Amino acid sequence: MQSKQTVVVIGNGMVGQKLLDVLVEDGATDRWDVVAFGEERHLAYDRVNLSAYVAGASAAELNLAAPEVVGHPAVRMVVGDRVVAIDRDARTVTAESGQVVCYDALVLATGSTPFVPPVAGGDGPGCFVYRTLDDLDAIIAHAPDCGTGVVIGGGLLGLEAANALRQLGLETHVVEFAPRLMPVQVDDAGGSVLRSAIEAIGIGVHTAKVTTEVRRDGDRVTGLAFADGTDLVADLVVYSAGIRPRDDLARSCGLEVGERGGVVVDDACRTADPRVYAVGECASHQGRVYGLVAPGYSMARVVADRLTGGDATFTGADLSTKLKLLGVDVASFGDAHATTPGARILTWHDACPSDPSVATYKKLVVSGDGLRLLGGMLVGDASDYASLHQLHASGATLPAHPELLVLPSLAGASSPLPGAGAMDDGATVCTCNNVTKGAICAAITDCALTTVGEVRDATRAGSTCGSCTPLISGILDDELTRAGVAVDRSLCEHFPHTRQELFDIVRVRRVRTFAELVAGWGTGRGCAVCKPAVASMLATLWNEHVLDRDHASLQDTNDRFLANLQRDGTYSVVPRVPGGEITPERLIVLGEVARDYDLYTKVTGGQRIDLFGARLDQLPSIWRRLVDAGFESGHAYGKSLRTVKSCVGRSWCRYGVQDSTSLAIALEERYRGLRSPHKLKLAVSGCSRECAEAQGKDVGVIATEAGWNLYVGGNGGMKPQHAVLLATDLDTATLVRYIDRFLMFYVRTADRLERTATWLNKLDGGLEHLRRVVVDDSLGLAAELEAAMDHHVDTYRCEWAATLDDPAKLAMFTPFVNEPEAVEVDLAYVRERGQRRPASAEERAASEVAVTVTAGVGGR
Ligand SMILES: Cc1cc2nc3c(=O)[nH]c(=O)nc-3n(C[C@H](O)[C@H](O)[C@H](O)COP(=O)(O)OP(=O)(O)OC[C@H]3O[C@@H](n4cnc5c(N)ncnc54)[C@H](O)[C@@H]3O)c2cc1C
Ligand code: SF4
């Protein structure tokens, strides 16, 4: 048997990690041991979504290094250690720590560094680049002492960095050398639409400016001077003026580098040394260095294939881009600047003098005979990007009047764009992960997939930048329909209706119980899917206690016992702390309850206090003490409103422009107990510094000088997503009305367990449609939605208070009646940092248990 060889990968960035993923996935680790060096403190993370870190995402949430890959027995990760030398004769690499590793194959995946233009005074304190988590930490640490931040560079990354500065609460400006923003992606007309939209949200734009000096007063940055004699005040500078490939290692070991930098590689991504490859932003292929992730991923796949004896090649890459910056859609693909001889240009420019932020510019470049789409750019509205990009990539013949492709569709008219069904199997749907339509169709058929999420998990299509998700959805619908599989959107086998249809039935026919609904519109006795879903609808609409009538039997465990079941079979207790504000007296009560029942106590991420380890039979006595002290149910157990997070706002903070705490409390009290398809979180920040992380919430409110900005559709969880701006500068009454409408519209039309972010992503017409419904009342529903919310508010009653008043409900918490076996439960704990927590299996086995509690004994 052939002995294993070693491949060393230098650089654990996005592309280096992709290489490790593919090597493990394809079983190359049977032949190769892999040693991967990463110089950063973190394992590979999602640099494309780096800006989410400024908005509150954690480093862990951006992590790309799956445990099954970095923990694989054939993979050794070396983190926080830079490779400083390569000896090609001895076939070794040497790291800063001194360790030397031998290789049979070597892959350079060292990425690039931001280019810092040589400007007088430009390299001291207060000047930053925007590339790594550490760079962002440095900017975040410096920003509180600054009033104005300036980004040098108005390209794609520069605008992203500007957004970050804005989120940090700085007055923000962008300085661009070229006469327009994003000069590579858009033309003058597109650039001017982009500029207006960006200026409309308060970012200063300065084009055709050559920075000659960063002015300083000692260690402090004070401003920028430009070649035309003008200047700009600045306290903090971020460079985003392009990138330079990190090819220093290659140079020092004698490998060829390109004229404009980058390790020269051939179509096999191999350097002139057959044992050394280069991939990603450090590689130069045919004189070109790619600054996008998709080409890097393709290179990683080529190298993985070559290492296992394959003959895959990299022959160049598509440079299409789609991004949403500061709420402005920008996309460009193909020959967007019409350099093809004889090309014809079709444009649509919809300017809106009263609101420049909603202007759109669409440009299509078609071949001289009008038959092929050569490229295009979209600014302001890029909703057709995925379809247009495919039309371009497939080379399909254009319809008779290609100009219709840029005109907004008339009401009722069908889109002139060919649907997913018209695409060839070989067409690439996901350019980031190189997934073809054929691969998606095969996965749908072979694995009986029925949802976009399942397709994403099975094929990775749509898992990086996400711009192809609408196409994937189209292909899925098409495939299911073609295969004769009715796209069944029924809630479950007991109801031949969607959740929304059932919601409407319950509402219009005033159905009050599950039994009534099954008798009239369903069959059987219900299941774990429909019972809690119907329970949630009944609770939303009629706001009866969840344990009233036959409602109790519909609830899953958490709702049934009004507490969260934990891994050791005990429950946690989370009282509501509106807006996170709590009096010392109430804090003392919580402390006393926790001490008396020996409950593990933790402050949650949502500004509440979680008490763990209560037995079922203890819940009523614990809650009696809490309710007597003025606490209410926090609904932590329900698919319902959880928290409204807030900062201290104007009351205490020197930056606050509105009273965010009072608003958060008012909103929490208004929407408390509202049942919904998924849990709901809100937040209110007192200024654009955004300490409450409102843009990561289902509803986020950020104070402005003039009122409140309303963001919707954000969420954390497994797939974090930013909220989007729905309306600006609202007075409080209008804000509350809009939130009423938004929440009720969502609650009525979303699917079971669909978060607001997913619901909004799927909503026909997207944000614009939502804006029309909520702000313009285009469906004439506003009054009804508001009345429904008023009903909810008027009929709210704390579920725990009501339970304590009702002996029949309290009987459910007696384990001896319903669950005699519960007496046998033997709970074992260990003490850690002064509190008890459940013992692990090993601790039980090793008799390290410090506390043993038997149900029925203890702190009643
Ligand atoms: C803010 C931001 C937004 C972006 N947005 C997009 C986007 O929307 N779409 C898109 O396609 N691309 C985007 N990009 C570009 C994308 O992130 C890069 O194309 C991609 O990360 C390149 O991957 P890489 O592995 O080649 O380089 P990197 O991800 O930079 O990884 C290289 C790694 O190697 C390490 N390293 C270097 N030298 C050594 C050494 N000697 N020893 C050990 N380790 C070393 C570096 O520290 C780094 O961690 C964005 C980039 C940024 C910064
Ligand atoms: S007002 Fe709130 S969001 Fe603004 S800086 Fe102060 S604490 Fe942060």
Tab-separated table of all heavy atoms in Angstrom, residues 76-102:
chain	number	residue	atom	x	y	z
A	76	ARG	N	-4.131	18.583	10.514
A	76	ARG	CA	-3.535	19.271	11.675
A	76	ARG	C	-3.583	20.765	11.413
A	76	ARG	O	-3.060	21.233	10.400
A	76	ARG	CB	-2.086	18.808	11.873
A	76	ARG	CG	-1.425	19.508	13.061
A	76	ARG	CD	-0.243	18.712	13.605
A	76	ARG	NE	0.981	18.925	12.848
A	76	ARG	CZ	1.862	19.904	13.095
A	76	ARG	NH1	1.625	20.781	14.056
A	76	ARG	NH2	2.960	20.012	12.377
A	77	MET	N	-4.239	21.481	12.321
A	77	MET	CA	-4.341	22.933	12.156
A	77	MET	C	-3.293	23.603	13.039
A	77	MET	O	-3.170	23.269	14.216
A	77	MET	CB	-5.714	23.440	12.621
A	77	MET	CG	-6.902	22.846	11.924
A	77	MET	SD	-6.972	23.202	10.170
A	77	MET	CE	-6.960	24.978	10.108
A	78	VAL	N	-2.590	24.555	12.490
A	78	VAL	CA	-1.655	25.354	13.288
A	78	VAL	C	-2.174	26.791	13.205
A	78	VAL	O	-2.134	27.416	12.146
A	78	VAL	CB	-0.229	25.265	12.722
A	78	VAL	CG1	0.748	25.983	13.652
A	78	VAL	CG2	0.185	23.810	12.519
A	79	VAL	N	-2.712	27.275	14.318
A	79	VAL	CA	-3.345	28.598	14.305
A	79	VAL	C	-2.435	29.600	15.004
A	79	VAL	O	-1.729	29.253	15.953
A	79	VAL	CB	-4.713	28.528	15.035
A	79	VAL	CG1	-5.428	29.865	14.963
A	79	VAL	CG2	-5.580	27.448	14.423
A	80	GLY	N	-2.459	30.837	14.511
A	80	GLY	CA	-1.671	31.901	15.162
A	80	GLY	C	-0.171	31.748	14.948
A	80	GLY	O	0.636	32.194	15.762
A	81	ASP	N	0.208	31.117	13.865
A	81	ASP	CA	1.636	30.935	13.592
A	81	ASP	C	1.882	31.189	12.101
A	81	ASP	O	1.265	30.534	11.250
A	81	ASP	CB	2.036	29.489	13.959
A	81	ASP	CG	3.549	29.354	14.167
A	81	ASP	OD1	4.246	30.379	14.072
A	81	ASP	OD2	3.999	28.224	14.425
A	82	ARG	N	2.721	32.150	11.810
A	82	ARG	CA	2.959	32.542	10.417
A	82	ARG	C	4.108	31.745	9.829
A	82	ARG	O	5.147	31.571	10.471
A	82	ARG	CB	3.272	34.039	10.347
A	82	ARG	CG	3.356	34.601	8.942
A	82	ARG	CD	3.190	36.106	8.999
A	82	ARG	NE	4.180	36.693	9.884
A	82	ARG	CZ	5.345	37.191	9.478
A	82	ARG	NH1	5.654	37.192	8.202
A	82	ARG	NH2	6.182	37.705	10.348
A	83	VAL	N	3.922	31.272	8.613
A	83	VAL	CA	5.033	30.615	7.923
A	83	VAL	C	5.961	31.709	7.421
A	83	VAL	O	5.520	32.672	6.785
A	83	VAL	CB	4.518	29.753	6.747
A	83	VAL	CG1	5.676	29.240	5.917
A	83	VAL	CG2	3.687	28.594	7.271
A	84	VAL	N	7.262	31.571	7.761
A	84	VAL	CA	8.196	32.648	7.402
A	84	VAL	C	9.180	32.238	6.310
A	84	VAL	O	9.849	33.083	5.729
A	84	VAL	CB	8.966	33.162	8.642
A	84	VAL	CG1	8.045	33.940	9.555
A	84	VAL	CG2	9.636	32.014	9.400
A	85	ALA	N	9.281	30.929	6.049
A	85	ALA	CA	10.232	30.521	4.997
A	85	ALA	C	9.806	29.208	4.360
A	85	ALA	O	9.179	28.358	5.002
A	85	ALA	CB	11.631	30.374	5.594
A	86	ILE	N	10.124	29.103	3.068
A	86	ILE	CA	9.899	27.856	2.340
A	86	ILE	C	11.256	27.435	1.781
A	86	ILE	O	11.950	28.253	1.154
A	86	ILE	CB	8.921	28.074	1.171
A	86	ILE	CG1	7.555	28.547	1.685
A	86	ILE	CG2	8.778	26.794	0.331
A	86	ILE	CD1	6.626	29.043	0.587
A	87	ASP	N	11.629	26.191	2.020
A	87	ASP	CA	12.848	25.661	1.419
A	87	ASP	C	12.414	24.617	0.402
A	87	ASP	O	12.003	23.511	0.752
A	87	ASP	CB	13.735	25.046	2.518
A	87	ASP	CG	15.064	24.546	1.953
A	87	ASP	OD1	15.123	24.255	0.742
A	87	ASP	OD2	16.032	24.450	2.736
A	88	ARG	N	12.479	25.002	-0.874
A	88	ARG	CA	11.935	24.103	-1.912
A	88	ARG	C	12.835	22.894	-2.144
A	88	ARG	O	12.365	21.850	-2.573
A	88	ARG	CB	11.721	24.874	-3.212
A	88	ARG	CG	10.536	25.825	-3.081
A	88	ARG	CD	9.962	26.211	-4.411
A	88	ARG	NE	10.812	27.152	-5.116
A	88	ARG	CZ	11.233	26.991	-6.360
A	88	ARG	NH1	10.930	25.912	-7.051
A	88	ARG	NH2	11.987	27.915	-6.940
A	89	ASP	N	14.135	23.049	-1.858
A	89	ASP	CA	15.029	21.891	-2.048
A	89	ASP	C	14.788	20.852	-0.957
A	89	ASP	O	14.624	19.668	-1.234
A	89	ASP	CB	16.503	22.340	-2.031
A	89	ASP	CG	16.772	23.291	-3.185
A	89	ASP	OD1	16.136	23.093	-4.250
A	89	ASP	OD2	17.572	24.229	-3.024
A	90	ALA	N	14.746	21.344	0.284
A	90	ALA	CA	14.522	20.396	1.389
A	90	ALA	C	13.039	20.022	1.506
A	90	ALA	O	12.678	19.109	2.240
A	90	ALA	CB	15.008	21.018	2.688
A	91	ARG	N	12.169	20.732	0.804
A	91	ARG	CA	10.710	20.570	0.868
A	91	ARG	C	10.204	20.736	2.309
A	91	ARG	O	9.561	19.857	2.878
A	91	ARG	CB	10.280	19.232	0.280
A	91	ARG	CG	10.643	19.083	-1.196
A	91	ARG	CD	9.621	18.279	-1.958
A	91	ARG	NE	9.338	17.004	-1.381
A	91	ARG	CZ	9.884	15.838	-1.762
A	91	ARG	NH1	10.763	15.831	-2.751
A	91	ARG	NH2	9.534	14.709	-1.194
A	92	THR	N	10.562	21.885	2.888
A	92	THR	CA	10.091	22.189	4.251
A	92	THR	C	9.546	23.614	4.302
A	92	THR	O	9.918	24.469	3.491
A	92	THR	CB	11.246	22.117	5.284
A	92	THR	OG1	12.255	23.058	4.890
A	92	THR	CG2	11.821	20.718	5.387
A	93	VAL	N	8.659	23.820	5.273
A	93	VAL	CA	8.265	25.197	5.586
A	93	VAL	C	8.633	25.447	7.041
A	93	VAL	O	8.567	24.526	7.868
A	93	VAL	CB	6.749	25.462	5.376
A	93	VAL	CG1	6.343	25.221	3.950
A	93	VAL	CG2	5.894	24.652	6.319
A	94	THR	N	9.005	26.684	7.345
A	94	THR	CA	9.367	27.040	8.723
A	94	THR	C	8.429	28.138	9.179
A	94	THR	O	8.197	29.111	8.462
A	94	THR	CB	10.821	27.554	8.781
A	94	THR	OG1	11.647	26.554	8.191
A	94	THR	CG2	11.264	27.811	10.210
A	95	ALA	N	7.893	27.948	10.384
A	95	ALA	CA	6.951	28.934	10.919
A	95	ALA	C	7.661	29.824	11.920
A	95	ALA	O	8.769	29.507	12.394
A	95	ALA	CB	5.782	28.227	11.580
A	96	GLU	N	6.998	30.929	12.262
A	96	GLU	CA	7.564	31.910	13.191
A	96	GLU	C	7.918	31.259	14.526
A	96	GLU	O	8.915	31.598	15.152
A	96	GLU	CB	6.536	33.021	13.411
A	96	GLU	CG	7.129	34.353	13.671
A	96	GLU	CD	6.105	35.450	13.403
A	96	GLU	OE1	4.887	35.204	13.622
A	96	GLU	OE2	6.521	36.519	12.946
A	97	SER	N	7.101	30.280	14.940
A	97	SER	CA	7.349	29.609	16.221
A	97	SER	C	8.610	28.749	16.166
A	97	SER	O	9.059	28.252	17.176
A	97	SER	CB	6.167	28.705	16.547
A	97	SER	OG	6.076	27.691	15.538
A	98	GLY	N	9.123	28.522	14.993
A	98	GLY	CA	10.322	27.700	14.849
A	98	GLY	C	10.020	26.306	14.339
A	98	GLY	O	10.927	25.575	13.936
A	99	GLN	N	8.730	25.909	14.350
A	99	GLN	CA	8.468	24.546	13.896
A	99	GLN	C	8.687	24.424	12.383
A	99	GLN	O	8.404	25.349	11.615
A	99	GLN	CB	7.082	24.060	14.299
A	99	GLN	CG	5.927	24.791	13.662
A	99	GLN	CD	4.612	24.088	13.991
A	99	GLN	OE1	4.465	22.884	13.784
A	99	GLN	NE2	3.653	24.860	14.501
A	100	VAL	N	9.198	23.263	12.011
A	100	VAL	CA	9.506	22.999	10.606
A	100	VAL	C	8.653	21.798	10.185
A	100	VAL	O	8.585	20.810	10.901
A	100	VAL	CB	11.008	22.661	10.446
A	100	VAL	CG1	11.335	22.318	8.992
A	100	VAL	CG2	11.859	23.818	10.935
A	101	VAL	N	7.989	21.914	9.060
A	101	VAL	CA	7.150	20.808	8.582
A	101	VAL	C	7.578	20.443	7.155
A	101	VAL	O	7.773	21.331	6.316
A	101	VAL	CB	5.653	21.204	8.588
A	101	VAL	CG1	4.787	20.074	8.057
A	101	VAL	CG2	5.192	21.588	9.979
A	102	CYS	N	7.739	19.127	6.917
A	102	CYS	CA	8.101	18.671	5.566
A	102	CYS	C	6.843	18.515	4.721
A	102	CYS	O	5.788	18.158	5.238
A	102	CYS	CB	8.766	17.292	5.646
A	102	CYS	SG	10.244	17.327	6.629
